[in-house]
Amino acid sequence: MSKMRLATVWLDGCSGCHMSFLDIDERLIAVAERADLVYSPLVDAKTFPEEVDITLVEGAVSSEEDLHKIQMVRQHTKILVSLGDCAVTANVPAMRNPFFTAEVYDRAYRENVTFDPGVPDQVVPRLLPFVRPVHEIVPVDVYVPGCPPSADVIFYVVTELLEGRNPELSAKTRFGA
Amino acid sequence: MERRTIVIDPVTRIEGHAKITLHLNEQGRVEDARFHVTQFRGFEKFCEGRPFSEMPALMARICGICPVSHLIASAKACDALLAVRIPPTADKLRRIFGLAQVVQSHALSLFYLSSPDLLLGMDADPAKAHLFGVLEKNSALARDGIRLRQFGQQMIERLGGKRIHPAWVVPGGVSEPLTEKNRDAILSALPEALQIAERTMEWFKGTMEKLREEITSFGNFPTLFMGIVKGDGGLTFYDGKIRIVDASGNVAADGLDPACYADFIGEKVEPWSYLKSTYYKPKGFPEGIYRVGPLARMNVADRCGTPRADQELAEFHELQRTAVLSSFHYHHARLIEILYCVERMEQLLNDPEILSKHVRAFARPNALEGVGAAEAPRGTLFHHYKIDEQGLMRWANLIIATGHNSVAMNRSILQVAKHFVHGDRLTPGMLNRVEAVIRCYDPCLSCSTHAAGQMALQVELLNAGGEVVDAVARP
């Protein structure tokens, strides 16, 4: 049987969900025996592959780059998993939503600056006016709440999906877990 | 030949979102290089109006790799708002917590992100350049890496109840005392961690001979170095005064109060990155370039204060009579720090007061402004808060390790690119070296763009009009 193709993507989050994925520790080796990690911050692929079976998405959609990336990822992914509270609800990143983006930028790049103040506008992607959870932008197949979801929950989700089953999570994790 | 720009996007095997642009002249030689951090989050603003007591748990969400450092710096800023001195046992428990995190974070950097470059080589097949590739070639090394990171994470869980984003560190101390069972469990795991650190140090030293060319060109230039040291000049991650040494290894400034950071550290914006660049104010920008983190700590500290780490530190200083200047040696410094952390944890856990139930001081806010500073795995971390009379946040400024290293990282990729990249024949190995020097710094882009964002790596060729004529995206 050919290996499944697994990817992980990091939008606006803290990388805690990726770290919790690594917290499955030596079980990483068992996952690697059944799936190839074809795209992830942990491997060197620079472009998202044409066909991916399962993509775990950490983080909310906050910038123009996040927006383009999640649309592209959805197009090339069979099963899209919102991993963690930021992907599921927009969580901490969305705390900037009550403020204008100009205020958020100004604090960092005009007020808390001693030399050359100004908002970066070359090469870097602009922030969207509001941070959104992934499912408001593209359809999501599996939701895994938690800040972050525990390693055991992530291992359960990945192995169930690799077996072709739908993970049942209601008793296993919760928002803020 | 026309002028071109090479874009590496995203930079991979780093903690965050970034890209690198290399600017080539008509002769195909690299003229300039820029490291662009592409994520911005806004913690300094959106904390406004929240109760200060929420800050440790909120600010920990800046980073899932080093949440403990943010917990500690944030809680120390909150201690200053309460104007309390925390109980001695709470102080020691926070120190152990911080040391456990340095171990797991350094293990992530060395094994998960950089070991493919060190073991498989800078020119290795990109499809194999990851932890699983290391597992195939040297299974024991990869398993040691998984185990060492697991060790740090399990210590954090034993102390704080959870591996990532534990809420255990609070204003005034910690929320729960350490149990005897957990102390003994941690103590019993230390010997294995020490053995792994020793084995890895031996292996690492064996790789250095093959990487001479990288060592001489990976961010090998004079800068200042900054770090917190204890009163006696020894290594610490938790508390002390700031020391700055110059490239010759001489002390340029000592005994600086971290609470007065704004007197000597400036922050500059680059219009092409969400990562701000800091500089040492007395020297101005860009002459005030300095580095922080493991390499800087080994250059500023007089000693580690534990036997094995001090042996290795003495050997480290033999690398160079001045300060050790090549950023390649961040890896080496990281390994010495792992030894130190394991040895130091044992000392602290054997303290007769470590199981004391007095671990938290309670108070209402007694000051409207507070600064907390600590040494995070990647360098000096500052949290600075202002609150109103009700204890609600009015303002925050955060300076994060990766920001201190911003100028040095940009200069490093330029040095590596000038040495290895030739515009007439691009190879993946050339570009991987540009990324590998960034990995030496172990930048945490999630952190550094707290205020701001993420990093990625991409290479494009632009013509004189700035149009993209070619792009290298490694498959």
Side-chain angles (χ1 to χ4, degrees), chain B residues 275-447:
Chain B
L275 180 61
K276 286 189 280 188
S277 298
T278 59
Y279 58 97
Y280 181 51
K281 271 186 174 174
K283 289 202 177 257
F285 186 90
E287 288 73 22
I289 175 176
Y290 61 90
R291 285 177 269 184
V292 299
L295 178 67
R297 286 190 289 256
M298 292 301 106
N299 279 327
V300 302
D302 295 330
R303 70 191 69 79
C304 294
T306 62
R308 278 297 294 122
D310 272 331
Q311 281 174 12
E312 293 296 336
L313 180 62
E315 197 176 313
F316 183 76
H317 281 306
E318 286 168 17
L319 290 168
Q320 204 159 359
R321 287 176 58 204
T322 60
V324 177
L325 297 181
S326 171
S327 287
F328 184 87
H329 294 307
Y330 267 98
H331 293 310
H332 196 158
R334 222 165 259 131
L335 275 161
I336 301 173
E337 290 192 338
I338 292 173
L339 285 171
Y340 164 80
C341 289
V342 177
E343 291 183 298
R344 182 76 183 122
M345 265 192 266
E346 185 179 8
Q347 292 175 352
L348 287 163
L349 285 163
N350 283 320
D351 185 290
E353 285 179 18
I354 202 67
L355 300 178
S356 164
K357 305 291 183 225
H358 298 288
V359 293
R360 185 171 185 181
F362 291 91
R364 294 178 53 78
N366 290 299
L368 297 181
E369 187 169 357
V371 175
E375 284 290 323
R378 292 158 192 77
T380 320
L381 170 64
F382 297 94
H383 280 224
H384 183 186
Y385 305 155
K386 292 179 187 173
I387 55 172
D388 66 15
E389 294 287 345
Q390 281 70 47
L392 301 181
M393 292 287 292
R394 298 185 62 123
W395 176 89
N397 188 33
L398 311 169
I399 301 184
I400 276 143
T402 299
H404 298 293
N405 282 336
S406 174
V407 184
M409 286 193 290
N410 276 286
R411 203 173 281 182
S412 298
I413 57 172
L414 180 61
Q415 186 180 40
V416 172
K418 279 190 165 171
H419 189 87
F420 289 103
V421 177
H422 305 285
D424 49 348
R425 45 185 169 85
L426 289 177
T427 66
M430 287 178 190
L431 302 181
N432 184 47
R433 283 177 175 81
V434 179
E435 294 179 80
V437 72
I438 288 293
R439 292 178 197 127
C440 291
Y441 291 90
D442 188 25
C444 187
L445 302 179
S446 175
C447 268

Side-chain angles (χ1 to χ4, degrees), chain B residues 154-230:
Chain B
Q154 283 175 337
M155 301 304 109
I156 290 169
E157 188 174 13
R158 292 225 173 250
L159 290 160
K162 191 177 168 193
R163 288 183 172 197
I164 298 162
H165 300 326
W168 182 60
V169 182
V170 293
V174 296
S175 60
E176 298 285 337
L178 176 65
T179 63
E180 194 175 347
K181 178 171 163 259
N182 280 330
R183 178 196 58 183
D184 295 346
I186 298 174
L187 275 171
S188 68
L190 293 176
E192 187 195 351
L194 197 62
Q195 285 166 10
I196 292 174
E198 299 271 12
R199 277 201 293 271
T200 309
M201 180 66 94
E202 282 313 303
W203 166 79
F204 174 79
K205 286 178 186 170
T207 67
M208 285 169 63
E209 199 46 52
K210 288 179 299 184
L211 295 163
R212 286 287 150 210
E213 195 178 357
E214 283 77 13
I215 290 171
T216 54
S217 60
F218 269 34
N220 187 18
F221 44 68
T223 62
L224 300 170
F225 295 91
M226 184 178 89
I228 296 175
V229 293
K230 291 197 296 191

Side-chain angles (χ1 to χ4, degrees), chain A residues 10-12 14 19 23 25 41 43-44 46 105 107-109 112 114-116 118 120-123 125 147, chain B residues 10 12-13 17 19 39 41 44 48 61 64 149-150 162 267-268 271 274 276 279 396 435 452 454 474:
Chain A
W10 173 5
L11 305 177
D12 187 6
C14 72
M19 291 305 109
D23 278 344
D25 298 325
V43 303
D44 273 358
K46 301 294 184 195
Y105 275 131
R107 171 59 50 81
Y109 299 110
N112 294 352
T114 54
F115 187 36
D116 278 353
D121 57 0
Q122 299 168 22
V123 185
C147 186
Chain B
T12 47
R13 286 187 281 127
H17 308 249
K19 58 181 169 183
Q39 181 188 18
R41 305 180 68 201
E44 292 169 325
E48 257 180 46
R61 265 71 181 180
R149 180 178 174 280
Q150 179 186 35
K162 191 177 168 193
E267 291 190 79
K268 178 189 186 299
Y274 279 137
K276 286 189 280 188
Y279 58 97
E435 294 179 80
Q454 298 180 288
R474 297 221 306 266

Side-chain angles (χ1 to χ4, degrees), chain B residues 67-201:
Chain B
V68 170
S69 295
H70 290 285
L71 279 172
I72 288 174
S74 180
K76 286 178 76 176
C78 293
D79 299 342
L81 297 174
L82 301 176
V84 296
R85 196 168 67 186
I86 69 170
T89 297
D91 178 284
K92 289 174 188 135
L93 289 172
R94 284 183 182 179
R95 287 172 195 265
I96 299 168
F97 209 37
L99 295 169
Q101 183 201 234
V102 172
V103 172
Q104 68 83 11
S105 176
H106 282 2
L108 174 74
S109 168
L110 189 74
F111 292 96
Y112 287 72
L113 305 179
S114 281
S115 76
D117 298 330
L118 302 174
L119 179 75
L120 309 173
M122 297 289 167
D123 296 297
D125 176 4
K128 293 275 182 194
H130 45 62
L131 184 73
F132 305 114
V134 173
L135 189 73
E136 272 178 32
K137 179 89 183 281
N138 184 342
S139 161
L141 180 74
R143 286 171 192 273
D144 271 355
I146 291 172
R147 182 70 190 104
L148 192 63
R149 180 178 174 280
Q150 179 186 35
F151 161 82
Q153 290 289 75
Q154 283 175 337
M155 301 304 109
I156 290 169
E157 188 174 13
R158 292 225 173 250
L159 290 160
K162 191 177 168 193
R163 288 183 172 197
I164 298 162
H165 300 326
W168 182 60
V169 182
V170 293
V174 296
S175 60
E176 298 285 337
L178 176 65
T179 63
E180 194 175 347
K181 178 171 163 259
N182 280 330
R183 178 196 58 183
D184 295 346
I186 298 174
L187 275 171
S188 68
L190 293 176
E192 187 195 351
L194 197 62
Q195 285 166 10
I196 292 174
E198 299 271 12
R199 277 201 293 271
T200 309
M201 180 66 94

Side-chain angles (χ1 to χ4, degrees), chain A residues 88-101:
Chain A
V88 176
T89 73
N91 196 32
V92 169
M95 287 176 69
R96 76 166 168 84
N97 287 353
F99 300 93
F100 291 112
T101 50

